[in-house]
Amino acid sequence: MLTSAQSSQLQQCLELARDIHQHQAAIAQFTQLRDSIVADEAAKALIDGIWAEVLAARRSSAFWQQMSDVEKDVSERLAQNHVQLQQNYLRLMQEM
């Protein structure tokens, strides 16, 4: 069972893991927490594997968020261009 201080430290590790640029700090803090909780080397290896998966999931999430943002920007620009083309067409038709 984790103490409240250990739970708080784990929460800090997870918060650091949200930012890809903070992953090294998250790893260092998590390693310190893991070492204070677990003595068995096999359990440490298992926990390290789980932590690596957490970080990989965070990186994947950040990547797909960036892709989503790019797609949104492209869609918005396409919509603006479409409106501009419609306005240009209407102006052309009125001039004829």
Side-chain angles (χ1 to χ4, degrees), residues 18-63:
R18 288 181 192 216
D19 182 1
I20 292 174
H21 304 292
Q22 295 293 323
H23 277 194
Q24 291 304 317
I27 291 169
Q29 189 168 346
F30 182 79
T31 301
Q32 181 183 19
L33 173 63
R34 184 211 59 204
D35 289 345
S36 71
I37 296 171
V38 180
D40 181 30
E41 290 301 317
K44 283 183 180 182
L46 176 65
I47 291 171
D48 286 345
I50 293 169
W51 182 246
E53 289 298 318
V54 167
L55 294 179
R58 297 290 187 181
R59 284 191 297 273
S60 178
S61 173
F63 170 79

Side-chain angles (χ1 to χ4, degrees), residues 11-13 15-16 20 30 33 39 42 45 53 55 61 64 73 77 79 82-84 90:
Q11 188 63 36
Q12 289 174 351
C13 291
E15 287 296 321
L16 285 172
I20 292 174
F30 182 79
L33 173 63
E53 289 298 318
L55 294 179
S61 173
W64 288 111
D73 290 343
R77 277 188 267 137
H82 181 70
V83 168
Q84 186 66 42
L90 291 174

